[in-house]
């Protein structure tokens, strides 16, 4: 099957030009002007943007969490992603306490194999990591899982103590892999939750009131300090607020290999959503919670200035009926998470590019190239270039839609609400190619479950950090010059 995409405006993280693209198999073979080549399929992209398929580096499909399981399966979630112009995801496998991470990886391979519409990879959620098992991390990276997520939140379930975090980071630093950190002080948050419940506060908005930004900033500070001493890179997930961003900037300024993502919910929604009538505020019980609106400007600034390096969704959908309702009489029992996998590209294009916060190249960088580079997938993924996978989106910059659960163009996710209900967007995915195969054609899904393949990722940043063979730093990084 060969395809010729003609007359499009090709935009990558660095380039912006008009040309044709020819792919005879899974990869791009040729890019040039006025290509005259026979192809099985010729698509006219005149007047459209032709961009690398989106990469969402943070999704939770079929995740057991909070006494239930996320409502999108690998089949429904990846199909919704494809509709929205995302052609790769990095989801999370979970190692439960006492279990081997390699067994956990097997379990997640079984869940996803043969189901997905688009290519996928896994981070490994680590819930414990005694010294005797740190060698598993290198084995995981050999299996293409070159990043891990650890939690400073959710005591008793996911939380890792600082020793575990240090051990994992030190190993990652040696192996050329990457620790992703959920940075929030979960121990103090649990105390605040206890106080709120004792005072009879059960409504969804107390989820936000018991998770102040300062406790996220403290987690970010601690994660960055531990990474600095462990001499490893670190990636802060779902950064939501200005004071956390300031911690990130300070660490970056002193040379810590610190990366971070934010998500559409923190850029576009705010704490007032918890005041929706009845129990509807539960739709926004996600972690970290929505913040005061003024933080949004600061996050856009962080994206423009490169402190923040990626935009993921943290797609973690739970239906309002029956799932969020588990916490109807106790906000701390509402499963944490919200949807977004389908709407990310349009939301960021409209509110970011049309809104004047970021330019087109930066849009591509934040939604595709950045994640591909950080997570060891570039240049196979994340760009349009000869030899790269033909993961290509034809994006109509003029098409207007209203994001809604009730709009069949904007909602294919398996969840009974849309967090961005009623938000207008100008800029919409029209046609999607996944490794050269057309899987979405003007709103119609042409693929099948199992089209997607597992992406065996390379080392962090595409670089191999030579092993320091357990070397202990002769001098710990200091806060004072010469100190
Ligand atoms: O609310 C969220 N983010 N749920 C998913 C788990 C996590 O912390 O990413
Ligand atoms: Zn998290
Ligand atoms: Zn998450």
């Amino acid at each position: 099957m060969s395809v010729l995409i003609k007359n499009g405006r090709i935009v990558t993280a660095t380039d912006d030009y008009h040309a044709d693209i020819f792919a005879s198999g899974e990869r791009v073979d040729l890019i040039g002007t006025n290509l005259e080549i026979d192809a099985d399929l010729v698509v006219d992209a005149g007047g459209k943007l032709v961009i690398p398929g989106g990469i969402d580096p943070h999704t939770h499909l079929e995740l057991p969490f909070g006494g239930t399981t996320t409502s999108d399966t690998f089949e429904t979630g990846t199909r919704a992603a494809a509709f929205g112009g995302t052609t790769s995801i990095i989801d999370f496998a979970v190692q439960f306490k006492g279990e081997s991470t390699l067994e956990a990886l097997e379990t997640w391979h079984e869940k996803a194999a043969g189901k997905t519409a688009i290519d996928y990879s896994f981070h490994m959620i680590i819930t414990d990591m005694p010294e005797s098992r740190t060698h598993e991390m290198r084995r995981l990276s050999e299996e293409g899982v070159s990043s891990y997520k650890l939690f400073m939140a959710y005591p008793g379930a996911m939380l890792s103590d600082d020793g575990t975090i240090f051990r994992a980071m030190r190993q990652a630093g040696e192996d050329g892999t990457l620790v992703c950190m959920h940075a929030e002080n979960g121990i103090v948050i649990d105390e605040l939750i206890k106080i709120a419940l004792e005072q009879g506060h059960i409504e969804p908005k107390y989820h936000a009131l018991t998770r102040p930004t300062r406790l996220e900033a403290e987690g970010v500070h601690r994660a960055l300090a531990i990474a600095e001493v462990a001499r490893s890179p670190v990636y802060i997930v779902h950064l939501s607020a200005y004071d956390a961003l300031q911690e990130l900037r300070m660490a970056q300024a002193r040379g810590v290999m610190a990366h971070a993502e934010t998500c559409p919910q923190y850029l576009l929604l705010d704490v007032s959503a918890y005041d929706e009538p009845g129990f509807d505020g539960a739709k926004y019980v996600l972690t970290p919670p929505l913040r005061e609106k003024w933080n949004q400007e600061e996050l856009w600034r962080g994206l423009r200035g490169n402190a923040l390096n990626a935009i993921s969704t943290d797609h973690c959908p739970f239906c309002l009926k029956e799932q969020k309702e588990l916490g109807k009489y106790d906000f701390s029992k509402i499963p944490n998470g919200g949807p977004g996998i389908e709407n990310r590209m349009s939301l960021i294009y409209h509110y970011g590019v049309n809104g004047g916060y970021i330019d087109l190249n930066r849009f591509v960088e934040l939604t595709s190239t950045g994640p591909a580079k950080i997570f060891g997938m570039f240049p196979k993924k994340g760009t349009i270039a000869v030899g790269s996978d033909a993961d290509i989106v034809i994006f109509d910059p003029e098409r207007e839609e209203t994001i809604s659960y009730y709009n069949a163009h904007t909602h294919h996710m398996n969840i009974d609400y849309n967090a961005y209900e009623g938000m207008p967007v100008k800029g919409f995915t029209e046609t999607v190619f996944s490794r050269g195969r057309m899987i979405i054609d003007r709103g119609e899904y042409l693929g099948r479950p199992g089209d997607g393949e597992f992406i065996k990722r390379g080392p962090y940043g595409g670089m191999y950090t030579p092993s320091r063979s357990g070397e202990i730093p002769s001098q710990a990084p200091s806060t004072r010059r010469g100190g």
Side-chain angles (χ1 to χ4, degrees):
M1 175 79 187
S2 58
V3 58
L4 181 61
I5 302 171
K6 290 194 74 72
N7 309 316
R9 177 179 168 192
I10 300 173
V11 181
T12 67
T14 49
D15 297 311
D16 187 342
Y17 58 101
H18 285 82
D20 304 339
I21 300 170
F22 176 72
S24 63
E26 297 194 342
R27 305 222 166 100
V28 171
D29 291 314
L30 207 56
I31 302 174
T33 46
N34 304 316
L35 293 183
E36 298 288 343
I37 302 176
D38 280 338
D40 300 322
L41 180 65
V42 179
V43 180
D44 182 14
K48 308 284 162 48
L49 304 178
V50 179
I51 56 177
I55 299 176
D56 189 339
H58 188 155
T59 66
H60 300 283
L61 304 175
E62 298 184 38
L63 174 75
F65 191 76
T68 182
T69 301
T70 52
S71 56
D72 261 318
T73 61
F74 279 94
E75 183 178 336
T76 62
T78 56
R79 190 167 57 223
F83 272 108
T86 288
T87 54
S88 303
I89 58 165
I90 313 181
D91 205 87
F92 290 82
V94 186
Q95 174 254 347
F96 295 103
K97 284 192 196 311
E99 188 192 13
S100 136
T101 53
L102 299 167
E103 281 166 24
L105 180 60
E106 272 314 300
T107 307
W108 253 262
H109 272 310
E110 279 163 27
K111 285 186 194 225
K115 310 270 178 45
T116 71
I118 56 171
D119 290 352
Y120 61 98
S121 191
F122 297 124
H123 311 278
M124 177 60 63
I125 287 180
I126 292 176
T127 56
D128 64 7
M129 182 50 69
E131 190 72 56
S132 57
R133 286 222 323 271
T134 47
H135 66 275
E136 288 180 9
M137 292 174 66
R138 193 168 293 183
R139 282 282 299 119
L140 285 173
S141 75
E142 287 161 7
E143 296 294 323
V145 175
S146 50
S147 50
Y148 325 95
K149 182 178 179 189
L150 277 77
F151 290 78
M152 292 172 155
Y154 311 132
M158 305 274 203
L159 181 139
S160 288
D161 60 30
D162 291 352
T164 303
I165 292 168
F166 176 75
R167 274 195 300 281
M169 284 185 172
R170 189 151 177 266
Q171 187 68 41
E174 285 185 11
D175 294 348
T177 57
L178 182 60
V179 169
C180 302
M181 186 58 67
H182 179 130
E184 273 189 314
N185 189 321
I187 304 275
V188 178
I189 286 168
D190 261 18
E191 293 298 319
L192 294 177
I193 291 172
K194 235 187 290 168
I195 294 168
L197 290 174
E198 275 163 15
Q199 294 176 349
H201 301 303
I202 58 165
E203 308 92 311
K205 75 170 177 193
Y206 283 90
H207 173 72
L209 294 174
T210 53
R211 305 185 96 92
T213 63
R214 190 60 78 210
L215 295 183
E216 181 184 358
E218 187 278 330
V220 170
H221 179 94
R222 187 156 35 104
L224 296 169
I226 297 172
E228 188 174 4
V229 174
R231 296 188 179 180
S232 78
V234 60
Y235 180 92
I236 306 293
V237 292
H238 47 48
L239 188 143
S240 73
Y242 175 64
D243 41 4
L245 177 61
Q246 288 299 78
E247 294 290 347
L248 178 73
R249 285 190 172 117
M250 278 192 286
Q252 288 168 338
R254 63 180 190 265
V256 181
M257 290 177 281
H259 305 280
E261 62 178 24
T262 189
C263 315
Q265 53 269 35
Y266 304 119
L267 294 164
L268 303 173
L269 306 174
D270 67 79
V271 71
S272 65
Y274 296 110
D275 293 328
E276 285 190 6
F279 187 62
D280 278 8
K283 294 188 281 193
Y284 313 99
V285 170
L286 35 87
T287 303
L290 302 180
R291 304 302 194 183
E292 287 176 19
K293 195 167 179 58
W294 63 266
N295 287 279
Q296 296 173 357
E297 285 287 322
E298 296 296 340
L299 293 177
W300 283 115
R301 223 168 263 154
L303 289 165
R304 194 169 54 231
N306 209 27
L308 297 169
N309 319 107
I311 301 176
S312 73
T313 58
D314 193 7
H315 179 75
C316 189
F318 297 104
C319 290
L320 196 52
K321 286 246 159 319
E322 288 176 14
Q323 295 196 293
K324 293 283 186 183
E325 278 177 356
L326 291 169
K328 192 137 193 177
Y329 305 105
D330 175 349
F331 71 89
S332 71
K333 295 199 165 61
I334 300 171
N336 289 192
I341 200 167
E342 181 168 359
N343 306 123
R344 180 183 67 133
M345 301 292 276
S346 273
L347 287 169
I348 299 306
Y349 181 83
H350 180 70
Y351 292 95
V353 179
N354 294 343
Y357 287 113
I358 52 172
D359 66 21
L360 255 180
N361 298 114
R362 187 76 180 136
F363 165 69
V364 171
E365 192 167 12
L366 289 165
T367 56
S368 181
T369 319
K373 286 188 173 173
I374 292 168
F375 291 110
M377 294 187 281
F378 186 85
K380 176 178 166 66
K381 304 288 188 191
T383 193
I384 296 177
V386 171
S388 294
D389 281 1
D391 292 351
I392 296 170
V393 170
I394 301 178
F395 192 84
D396 184 349
E398 298 301 324
R399 178 160 156 195
E400 298 185 38
E401 289 284 353
T402 300
I403 307 272
S404 173
Y405 171 69
Y406 305 98
N407 179 350
H409 298 132
T410 65
H411 191 110
H412 299 84
M413 299 172 286
N414 185 38
I415 178 169
D416 59 0
Y417 70 95
N418 190 302
Y420 305 95
E421 187 63 41
M423 292 181 74
V425 290
K426 185 175 177 192
F428 206 75
T429 294
E430 182 176 282
T431 299
V432 178
F433 295 89
S434 168
R435 278 180 287 105
R437 187 155 1 117
M438 190 190 260
I439 56 168
I440 299 286
D441 183 25
R442 284 159 294 176
E444 197 188 335
Y445 177 57
L446 305 178
R448 277 164 315 176
D451 282 344
E453 283 181 357
F454 177 69
I455 308 164
K456 226 175 151 180
R457 292 183 288 118
Y460 154 70
M463 297 179 292
Y464 178 62
T465 311
S467 166
R468 293 191 305 271
S469 333
E471 166 202 342
I472 294 175
S474 57
Q475 187 184 17
S478 166
T479 51
R480 270 191 314 123
R481 196 190 287 249

